Amino acid sequence: MSAGDTPFVTASDLADYAYCPRSYWYRHHPPPGGPSDASERSSARGIHSHARQLGGELRRAERGGWYWAGVALGILAVVGGIVWLR
């Protein structure tokens, strides 16, 4: 029985599918002759694309606290300015 024939889904299958549905499909349906040069180039482009996208999400997640701290300070400044002007 191959990995694609099991009646259940593993955690690594779910993680692979969440990362990239095409990656999951290709893992369970490899080409019979092995990877071609074109598929190797396509895979490298996919890896680069995912790394760029995930890197952007990581940067946004790391800056999230500073963003909300800035929003809170901005709101306090506006409220303080309104109270001061009254």
Side-chain angles (χ1 to χ4, degrees):
M1 184 180 284
S2 70
D5 296 336
T6 58
F8 56 89
V9 177
T10 66
S12 62
D13 286 339
L14 293 174
D16 195 21
Y17 187 84
Y19 175 70
C20 179
R22 291 181 78 168
S23 170
Y24 171 81
W25 191 87
Y26 283 123
R27 181 162 33 121
H28 292 288
H29 300 90
S36 66
D37 289 340
S39 69
E40 291 286 343
R41 287 190 300 275
S42 178
S43 176
R45 285 193 308 269
I47 289 169
H48 177 72
S49 174
H50 282 291
R52 188 177 60 234
Q53 183 179 20
L54 292 174
E57 290 180 19
L58 179 62
R59 284 189 299 278
R60 283 189 293 278
E62 289 172 343
R63 289 186 296 210
W66 289 109
Y67 172 78
W68 289 112
V71 169
L73 286 174
I75 290 171
L76 285 174
V78 168
V79 170
I82 291 172
V83 169
W84 183 68
L85 290 175
R86 287 188 166 197

